[in-house]
Amino acid sequence: MRKQKILLALQAIKHLMRLDADDPKSHMCLIKFFHKVDSLPTPVTDTEKLIWGVLEAERPAFSQLHGKSLIEANNTFLEKHRECLMHRAVVAELLYVLEPNKKAEAVKLIEDSVNDLVSADGAQGKTRSWKLNDCITVHKLLETTLDDHDAATRLKVRCAEYFPCSTYFGGIKSSAYNQSAGEAKWNYIEFLEYTLTTIDGSRGNFQGSDQIPGRVCGLAQNIFNNFQI
């Protein structure tokens, strides 16, 4: 972070916190900013000392940090927003940033999230609390920042069930799923044709042929039963 930009960044964060201190992005910016400030070398020049003096004076003005370390502030934010997937994901990412040795704990924090039923605004009945775009963001977080491909795969399986039309997660009603099923179908058909050629030396119509074992005909039937597209 360039020293001449630090005070501008501070003003931007103050504005964010005034707009919505409970927004996960606001919390992310606040903690990452002061984590970066804490990692900078001790000021030497008069200008640097002046900037650091402003930062020290402004820091207690953030109620989220008053009398707390960054780790404590992150934990407090989690306790306040424990039921929300995106808030948990941001807390998990910050936990990994602040304490890299707690990667497994950060991943578990995400995986323990529950997609509860909540009342839908302006609609009858209830809907799931997770949103598709949020789930995509969290999946990418697991894949990249936290670099846990197994956890990302487990989340993808869960989200494919919650969002059956999602191409990103390969939901059962999505075009991605249908394409995958179609490819699998034709792979089986190619294998079957090869098997038939090996058995009777032809690629002709196999149905009703007395020369073809029943298990091969059964395989053909399973193909068309299981891969209807």
Side-chain angles (χ1 to χ4, degrees):
M1 186 187 302
R2 295 180 180 178
K3 294 181 176 62
Q4 60 267 34
K5 301 294 185 181
I6 291 178
L7 295 182
L8 289 176
L10 176 64
Q11 293 303 314
I13 291 172
K14 289 172 66 176
H15 182 64
L16 274 177
M17 301 306 288
R18 283 195 297 267
L19 287 175
D20 188 356
D22 290 325
D23 186 273
K25 292 180 181 178
S26 299
H27 178 69
M28 173 78 77
C29 290
L30 175 68
I31 301 299
K32 279 193 171 182
F33 173 77
F34 280 104
H35 177 62
K36 181 65 177 178
V37 168
D38 291 344
S39 67
L40 293 175
T42 303
V44 177
T45 67
D46 290 341
T47 300
E48 291 174 345
K49 291 177 180 179
L50 178 61
I51 292 174
W52 257 247
V54 172
L55 293 173
E56 288 299 318
E58 290 284 354
R59 187 166 183 156
F62 293 96
S63 60
Q64 297 81 1
L65 302 180
H66 187 63
K68 299 186 183 75
S69 67
L70 297 181
I71 293 173
E72 291 170 338
N74 198 40
N75 290 335
T76 299
F77 189 79
L78 172 63
E79 291 303 318
K80 189 176 180 180
H81 303 284
R82 183 172 290 276
E83 305 304 321
C84 177
L85 174 65
M86 278 305 298
H87 288 75
R88 291 176 72 98
V90 164
V91 169
E93 181 177 352
L94 289 171
L95 173 62
Y96 181 56
V97 169
L98 298 172
E99 301 179 274
N101 61 315
K102 292 190 175 181
K103 173 182 171 180
E105 184 177 331
V107 171
K108 186 176 186 301
L109 192 59
I110 293 174
E111 291 204 282
D112 285 347
S113 301
V114 178
N115 191 11
D116 290 325
L117 289 170
V118 296
S119 298
D121 294 336
Q124 295 182 346
K126 293 186 176 183
T127 185
R128 295 286 181 180
S129 60
W130 290 7
K131 306 302 180 186
L132 177 58
N133 287 340
D134 291 345
C135 290
I136 292 174
T137 299
V138 175
H139 179 262
K140 290 179 178 179
L141 171 65
L142 288 169
E143 279 278 13
T144 56
T145 304
L146 295 176
D147 192 26
D148 191 323
H149 302 296
D150 290 340
T153 299
R154 289 191 293 270
L155 179 66
K156 185 174 183 178
V157 171
R158 291 175 69 184
C159 291
E161 179 181 350
Y162 294 136
F163 305 101
C165 295
S166 168
T167 300
Y168 181 89
F169 290 117
I172 195 171
K173 296 181 181 179
S174 70
S175 59
Y177 178 87
N178 288 333
Q179 181 180 4
S180 176
E183 290 173 353
K185 170 182 174 179
W186 291 112
N187 287 340
Y188 274 116
I189 289 176
E190 289 176 359
F191 168 74
L192 178 61
E193 287 183 338
Y194 172 79
T195 303
L196 296 178
T197 301
T198 302
I199 292 173
D200 65 4
S202 69
R203 287 179 176 265
N205 183 7
F206 59 85
Q207 293 184 353
S209 172
D210 294 335
Q211 299 178 4
I212 300 174
R215 61 185 177 83
V216 178
C217 291
L219 173 61
Q221 188 64 49
N222 286 334
I223 290 172
F224 290 99
N225 286 343
N226 295 328
F227 295 97
Q228 294 297 321
I229 59 173

